[in-house]
Amino acid sequence: MNKYISAGFIFFIFLLIYYLGSFTRIPFADAIGFILPVEQGDFETTATATTHFLYVNTAIFIKNITGINAIEASRFLIITSGALTVSVIYLTVKSITKLEWASVAAAFIFGFSFTFWKNAEIVEVYTYNSLWLSLFFFSLVKSFAEQKKLHIPLAGFFFAISLWVHIQNILLIPAFILFLYYFRKETKYVYSSLLIFLLIFGSITVLNVSQGLSLSSPYFSERGEWLSNSFKKTFVQYLQDLVKSVVYIIYNFNVFTLLGIAGIYFLYRTNKKMFFVFFTASLCVYGFATFYAVTDNYVFFIPFNMIFALSIGYGLSQVQYPWVKKWSWVCIFIPLFYVLSLQIVSSTEKGQDFGNYKKYKGGLEYYMYPWMNNNVGILEFTIDKKVAPDLIFWMTEEAEIYIELLKSKGFTEKEIRKL
């Protein structure tokens, strides 16, 4: 089957999966903070660490041209980006391995990975960010595996665009520089790639400075001291962070984690240049995500998870055991792993205590199930003036603004509760 036809099938499969599991009501976390500006409809004019310029403006653009509301515009952007990303993962693995079965399996394994699946079903920036990064990784692989020189400047373009979505991607700059160094003899393409990257990336600072913001405005947040706090932990805390990061990997990739490790080894043996580019990218992202002092640091692993999924695909293709190919289809049962995990944790005392503590946002299901249909909503929580055991005042403040905005448009409180 033509690889683009296969990519199309994978896209529609995951579009349906993500749509069916998508949130019923606006969830907790940063969801309301993204939906509110889209509903207000004022295009974002600055690109700071928390405004996510390209994401918000793309959602507003979708809302304006389709006439749908902010919630549905956000849903469309998220699940479409998620499904497209899975398709690009398939195409990237196909470029490396040339094997259909390994590429399809790797796409399903990544598409069903907990963190990515979860973020494809709530209102967040990470699936849209993943789409641009997947195109960046695709260009890197095409350049190495197929010597497609046009993909060298394309890598600079996709990478630069991703920085307009999420500034965390600056962690990939060392890998990008190493990539350009390996192709230094292709001067025309390397200089083009670097120039494209610098022009698009540099425009972020130009945009902000032109509106009176500082040179450092794209990189720092006014909301908290998360970055500085990351350097104030004890040794035991750093060790706990490291253990937790390993648990994240296993929960995302379960038994396929072993194939990811195998893929790392095989890539080192067969293509050291590509290995060191992706190893550099992984090291920077994984290190940052592991020790970043925020409670939801698991989302910052997604770029690493994408690279690890590519490694799983390569590991599948290289492991010389016939049963690996024969049983690769079991990846479609990954959702059962989450069901079983929830049942096990729910049976423990600590699991029950944690579930009761987080009951206000859905309990253990919120943290262990990727799908979000029939979820607890922040608007209903705010209308009922409920109190959470955690500090979520910024969510409820934005929810109150959104509620008042909807009321001004003729929505009743009963209707708002359902959103």
Side-chain angles (χ1 to χ4, degrees):
M1 184 182 292
N2 182 283
K3 62 182 179 181
Y4 295 109
I5 295 177
S6 296
F9 274 121
I10 290 171
F11 167 75
F12 284 111
I13 288 170
F14 279 93
L15 188 71
L16 179 63
I17 291 171
Y18 294 156
Y19 177 76
L20 293 176
S22 185
F23 65 96
T24 305
R25 304 172 188 84
I26 300 173
F28 285 71
D30 293 332
I32 191 67
F34 287 113
I35 289 178
L36 177 58
V38 177
E39 185 66 43
Q40 291 169 330
D42 298 323
F43 284 101
E44 186 61 59
T45 58
T46 58
T48 67
T50 54
T51 54
H52 305 298
F53 177 93
L54 189 58
Y55 171 87
V56 172
N57 288 341
T58 302
I60 293 174
F61 177 74
I62 292 171
K63 173 176 173 285
N64 289 348
I65 65 171
T66 61
I68 59 180
N69 62 41
I71 297 173
E72 295 309 317
S74 299
R75 191 195 311 275
F76 176 84
L77 177 57
I78 293 158
I79 65 173
T80 303
S81 299
L84 283 171
T85 300
V86 177
S87 295
V88 176
I89 292 292
Y90 158 80
L91 291 171
T92 307
V93 176
K94 187 67 180 290
S95 180
I96 305 173
T97 67
K98 315 302 180 188
L99 297 176
E100 180 74 7
W101 69 270
S103 306
V104 172
F108 271 79
I109 291 165
F110 177 74
F112 284 147
S113 63
F114 176 83
T115 305
F116 186 78
W117 190 356
K118 181 80 172 183
N119 279 269
E121 303 204 340
I122 60 177
V123 184
E124 261 293 4
V125 69
Y126 299 104
T127 49
Y128 189 46
N129 184 54
S130 296
L131 175 59
W132 292 104
L133 286 182
S134 69
L135 292 170
F136 170 53
F137 296 150
F138 176 72
S139 296
L140 297 183
V141 169
K142 279 285 188 178
S143 301
F144 281 115
E146 300 179 15
Q147 296 297 308
K148 299 281 187 177
K149 297 177 183 178
L150 181 60
H151 282 275
I152 298 174
L154 281 177
F157 173 76
F158 291 132
F159 181 34
I161 293 295
S162 77
L163 290 161
W164 283 84
V165 183
H166 204 299
I167 201 62
Q168 177 205 353
N169 299 333
I170 60 172
L171 296 166
L172 297 172
I173 288 179
F176 178 61
I177 293 173
L178 184 59
F179 163 72
L180 295 181
Y181 173 76
Y182 282 140
F183 286 95
R184 61 191 179 279
K185 292 182 179 179
E186 305 292 345
T187 54
K188 180 176 69 173
Y189 296 98
V190 168
Y191 288 150
S192 297
S193 184
L194 185 60
L195 180 61
I196 290 169
F197 171 76
L198 291 175
L199 286 175
I200 297 175
F201 179 37
S203 298
I204 298 176
T205 301
V206 173
L207 175 69
N208 287 359
V209 171
S210 68
Q211 297 178 79
L213 299 183
S214 66
L215 288 171
S216 62
S217 58
Y219 314 106
F220 297 99
S221 170
E222 70 284 354
R223 292 187 181 181
E225 299 178 344
W226 303 303
L227 189 59
S228 60
N229 289 341
S230 301
F231 297 97
K232 299 176 182 177
K233 298 180 180 181
T234 65
F235 174 77
V236 173
Q237 287 175 316
Y238 285 124
L239 189 60
Q240 290 172 336
D241 288 342
L242 190 59
V243 171
K244 187 165 60 174
S245 71
V246 174
V247 173
Y248 286 156
I249 294 176
I250 296 172
Y251 199 67
N252 273 277
F253 298 109
N254 44 81
V255 296
F256 296 100
T257 303
L258 296 174
L259 286 164
I261 296 171
I264 294 170
Y265 169 76
F266 289 123
L267 185 61
Y268 175 77
R269 291 287 302 272
T270 58
N271 195 324
K272 285 185 172 60
K273 290 182 178 180
M274 193 194 304
F275 166 82
F276 280 115
V277 168
F278 280 108
F279 178 77
T280 301
S282 299
L283 190 64
C284 293
V285 172
Y286 191 88
F288 169 80
T290 298
F291 303 117
Y292 193 36
V294 291
T295 55
D296 58 349
N297 67 321
Y298 75 101
V299 296
F300 296 103
F301 286 92
I302 291 179
F304 168 81
N305 290 351
M306 296 169 68
I307 296 172
F308 198 73
L310 301 180
S311 182
I312 289 174
Y314 195 65
L316 283 167
S317 71
Q318 295 295 308
V319 173
Q320 299 300 310
Y321 297 106
W323 60 267
V324 172
K325 178 180 179 180
K326 182 179 179 180
W327 290 97
S328 61
W329 57 270
V330 301
C331 64
I332 64 175
F333 292 107
I334 289 175
L336 295 179
F337 171 73
Y338 303 127
V339 175
L340 180 61
S341 298
L342 178 64
Q343 294 302 315
I344 293 173
V345 174
S346 297
S347 66
T348 66
E349 185 177 346
K350 286 188 176 180
Q352 292 170 2
D353 291 342
F354 182 83
N356 291 330
Y357 182 81
K358 298 291 185 178
K359 190 175 182 179
Y360 71 95
K361 63 166 64 175
L364 276 174
E365 288 86 352
Y366 180 87
Y367 288 91
M368 300 192 71
Y369 277 164
W371 44 89
M372 288 292 293
N373 53 313
N374 199 31
N375 64 297
V376 179
I378 184 65
L379 297 186
E380 185 177 27
F381 180 91
T382 304
I383 289 172
D384 291 337
K385 300 186 183 303
K386 294 181 179 178
V387 178
D390 299 311
L391 291 176
I392 61 168
F393 62 90
W394 64 89
M395 298 182 210
T396 53
E397 287 176 356
E398 290 177 326
E400 288 169 356
I401 297 172
Y402 185 58
I403 290 167
E404 292 305 314
L405 180 59
L406 291 177
K407 285 182 177 179
S408 71
K409 294 184 177 184
F411 283 81
T412 65
E413 196 169 275
K414 183 178 181 181
E415 291 172 329
I416 295 173
R417 285 174 176 273
K418 298 177 181 179
L419 299 177

